[in-house]
């Protein structure tokens, strides 16, 4: 039976003044397949109610906390209750919230990094397997069509064997002790209890590592890392430099920073193979550069039929014709579109297609946590080169 209704979304986090919850709300609406019907939006119940009023939600479905939300939503019939929850709180809350919603039978879309320890991440992976619920992890940069095109170029051997990967994610917004001004996003990100063992490496280094593994299809096996805290008194790293080895023998460099003044979200990646290279920049996401060994560089532009002909994943995750830029919100929306199709298919009792399952999942979340813990261990160690934790 085909499910002929919108998916019902619940949200935890995303209260007044929060950053990413609002991005999820906007992006999940883009295709008209998802409606937000419930939430526990803030750590402060009053602010959760305020957010519910601002969003014009039914006041009976705006909750004081996520536990109350699970109890009340579970009592509603299927089709009325939320089908899935988006977890958009600081990192320390992801695990208990995702765990409890999965146990109650809900599908989950979770923010990254997935948890604050790899132990929690593995427990979540086991629970996803057991409950057979769909679990999406919002590594949104995999949602860009030109990233999907790059992945397909690697897969279809246009680059030949991958030899070298350079990936960077510099920002400059934490170049001063912003957390001491009470700024909400800076405060919890620099607190190990809420952020986990990694600062910059957990917040944005994980995006870079995920992007490298997503495009190349390779796995990071060894890391030689140096974490630094440049801002005096800060409790977590604000700069991260890594040398990397991949499971096919390829070598890599990954750097992430939150003290690189002047940089905004300058995520970029270069993948060099035996037959050619690709280059992609998040701040100019509609273009993918392919460099052959001889002859001129090719600029592949999103929205052109040749992109969809080469990459079905890029084609189906494109909404606008070429020349009308798509960016951050659309990339989130692409992860939502694929996740939504997967959830609907599971509700219909069928198996989602590989194209629908093209979004980061709980296993990527485990990889992310192992990456953070390996970088932290390598940085503290004397021998430096450290095998990726298992
Ligand atoms: P934020 O500080 O702006 O917002 C966090 C919100 O969660 C606040 O409204 C807070 O009150 C609420 N909250 C905290 N604990 C809660 C609880 N137990 N129940 C309900 N609400 C609770 O944080 P942010 O910048 O939006 O980051 C949130 C998460 O999103 C983090 O895990 C972060 O790593 C991730 N993030 C991802 C991206 C991305 O590009 N994918 C970008 C930014 C943030």
């Amino acid at each position: 039976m085909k499910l002929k209704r919108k998916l019902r979304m619940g949200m935890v986090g995303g209260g007044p003044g929060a950053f990413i919850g609002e991005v999820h709300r906007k992006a999940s609406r883009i295709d008209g397949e998802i409606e937000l019907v419930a939430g526990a939006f803030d750590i402060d119940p009053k602010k959760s109610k305020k957010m519910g009023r601002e969003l014009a939600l039914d006041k009976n479905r705006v909750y004081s906390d996520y536990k109350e939300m699970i109890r009340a939503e579970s009592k509603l019939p299927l089709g009325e209750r939320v089908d899935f929850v988006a977890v958009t709180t600081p990192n320390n809350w992801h695990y208990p919230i995702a765990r409890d919603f999965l146990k109650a039978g809900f599908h989950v879309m979770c923010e990254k990094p997935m948890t604050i320890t790899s132990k929690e991440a593995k427990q979540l992976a086991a629970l996803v397997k057991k409950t057979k619920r769909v679990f999406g992890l919002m590594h949104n940069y995999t949602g860009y069509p030109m990233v999907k095109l790059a992945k397909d170029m690697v897969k279809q051997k246009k680059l030949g064997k991958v030899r070298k990967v350079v990936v960077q994610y510099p920002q400059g917004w934490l170049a001063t002790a912003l957390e001491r001004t009470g700024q909400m996003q800076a405060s919890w990100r620099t607190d190990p209890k809420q952020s986990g063992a990694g600062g910059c490496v957990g917040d944005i280094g994980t995006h870079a590592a995920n992007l490298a593994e997503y495009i190349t299809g390779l796995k990071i096996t060894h890391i030689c890392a140096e974490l630094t805290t440049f801002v005096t008194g800060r409790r977590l790293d604000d700069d991260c430099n890594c040398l990397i080895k991949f499971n096919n023998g390829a070598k890599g460099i990954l750097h992430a920073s939150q003290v690189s003044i002047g940089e905004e979200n300058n995520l970029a990646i270069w993948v060099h193979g035996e037959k050619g290279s690709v280059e992609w920049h998040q701040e100019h996401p509609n273009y993918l550069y392919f460099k052959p060994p001889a002859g001129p560089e090719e600029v592949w532009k999103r929205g052109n039929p040749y992109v969809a002909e080469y990459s079905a994943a890029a084609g189906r995750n494109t909404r606008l014709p070429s020349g009308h830029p798509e960016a951050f919100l659309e990339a989130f929306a692409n992860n939502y579109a694929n996740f939504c199709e997967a959830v609907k298919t599971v509700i219909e009792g069928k198996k989602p297609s590989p194209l629908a399952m093209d979004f980061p999942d709980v296993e990527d979340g485990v990889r992310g946590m192992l990456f953070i813990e390996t970088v932290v261990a390598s940085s503290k160690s004397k021998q430096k080169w450290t095998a990726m934790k298992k």
Side-chain angles (χ1 to χ4, degrees):
M1 198 191 68
K2 196 123 184 90
L3 194 71
K4 290 204 192 82
R5 63 168 176 83
K6 292 184 181 193
L7 280 190
R8 290 175 170 63
M9 169 178 178
M11 177 173 279
V12 182
F19 171 42
I20 216 66
E22 182 56 25
V23 173
H24 281 251
R25 287 192 287 264
K26 288 194 166 89
S28 59
R29 276 204 300 267
I30 283 182
D31 292 317
E33 296 279 343
I34 296 173
E35 62 177 328
L36 178 71
V37 295
F41 296 104
D42 204 282
I43 189 78
D44 175 349
K46 279 198 199 111
K47 288 190 186 165
S48 177
K49 304 277 176 196
K50 180 171 181 262
M51 198 69 233
R53 284 195 298 278
E54 272 175 34
L55 295 166
L57 295 182
D58 175 351
K59 67 175 181 348
N60 296 318
R61 297 183 75 178
V62 180
Y63 303 100
S64 295
D65 61 54
Y66 78 91
K67 290 192 172 170
E68 183 194 343
M69 179 170 165
I70 294 175
R71 275 196 303 275
E73 290 294 318
S74 299
K75 286 185 193 146
L76 298 173
L78 263 177
E80 204 179 305
R81 68 188 220 175
V82 296
D83 295 297
F84 75 93
V85 65
V87 184
T88 66
T89 60
N91 308 347
N92 59 316
W93 285 103
H94 296 175
Y95 174 67
I97 296 170
R99 178 197 61 199
D100 291 0
F101 272 95
L102 284 169
K103 279 187 178 167
F106 297 95
H107 304 279
V108 174
M109 173 61 88
C110 186
E111 261 306 340
K112 46 50 62 180
M114 189 166 79
T115 55
I116 53 170
T117 63
S118 63
K119 191 173 167 216
E120 288 178 348
K122 287 177 194 165
Q123 285 171 356
L124 218 48
L127 197 55
V128 169
K129 218 171 179 181
K130 188 172 156 203
T131 57
K132 298 193 172 63
R133 300 297 81 188
V134 182
F135 188 98
L137 185 73
M138 195 44 94
H139 274 303
N140 47 301
Y141 301 108
T142 63
Y144 286 88
M146 303 316 267
V147 166
K148 295 181 186 298
L149 174 64
K151 181 181 177 66
D152 276 337
M153 283 184 175
V154 173
K155 207 167 162 189
Q156 295 174 38
K157 307 270 185 270
K158 194 172 166 68
L159 278 65
K161 186 180 173 217
V162 172
R163 289 172 163 161
K164 169 115 192 213
V165 181
V166 179
V167 61
Q168 63 169 41
Y169 199 156
Q171 300 178 328
W173 70 291
L174 287 176
T176 60
L178 194 59
E179 60 270 34
R180 267 176 256 154
T181 67
Q183 205 265 10
M184 181 159 86
Q185 286 79 20
S187 301
W188 71 257
R189 276 179 173 78
T190 53
D191 172 6
K193 285 209 181 92
Q194 297 183 74
S195 199
C200 170
V201 60
D203 199 34
I204 53 174
T206 48
H207 275 313
N210 177 261
L211 188 67
E213 290 198 344
Y214 178 79
I215 290 180
T216 63
L218 300 173
K219 298 284 179 218
I220 295 170
T221 58
H222 294 80
I223 303 176
C224 169
E226 183 164 33
L227 294 174
T228 309
T229 305
F230 279 104
V231 173
T232 311
R234 180 164 285 160
R235 287 177 289 166
L236 288 169
D237 62 281
D238 48 31
D239 189 78
C240 163
N241 298 295
C242 304
L243 296 177
I244 282 176
K245 293 180 190 173
F246 291 91
N247 59 340
N248 75 334
K251 303 292 162 75
I253 299 175
L254 180 154
H255 97 83
S257 179
Q258 293 178 317
V259 297
S260 295
I261 291 177
E263 299 297 345
E264 294 172 327
N265 282 282
N266 196 357
L267 172 65
I269 186 163
W270 292 258
V271 180
H272 304 288
E274 287 176 351
K275 296 198 302 189
S277 305
V278 286
E279 174 180 345
W280 180 78
H281 295 259
Q282 196 269 153
E283 292 182 350
H284 306 279
N286 291 278
Y287 308 103
L288 180 73
Y289 304 92
F290 174 74
K291 300 165 193 192
E297 179 174 325
E298 296 169 13
V299 185
W300 292 55
K301 299 182 181 180
R302 188 205 51 77
N304 284 290
Y306 59 75
V307 173
E309 278 160 26
Y310 195 95
S311 166
R316 75 183 232 127
N317 283 287
T318 293
R319 292 176 187 75
L320 297 172
S322 58
H324 295 301
E326 290 182 359
F328 194 67
L329 286 175
E330 286 88 349
F332 269 78
N334 288 338
N335 279 356
Y336 265 112
N338 292 347
F339 172 81
C340 180
E341 186 180 327
V343 171
K344 280 192 168 182
T345 312
V346 168
I347 294 174
E348 289 161 7
K350 291 182 275 184
K351 194 171 180 279
S353 70
L355 279 175
M357 289 306 291
D358 179 21
F359 54 83
D361 63 13
V362 76
E363 294 303 334
D364 296 289
V366 174
R367 297 279 308 158
M369 292 317 300
L370 294 172
F371 170 76
I372 295 170
E373 290 178 0
T374 310
V375 169
V376 170
S378 165
S379 183
K380 282 185 184 156
S381 76
K382 284 210 172 74
Q383 91 276 3
K384 302 313 280 183
W385 276 108
T386 305
M388 186 85 158
K389 293 198 177 291
K390 290 204 169 101

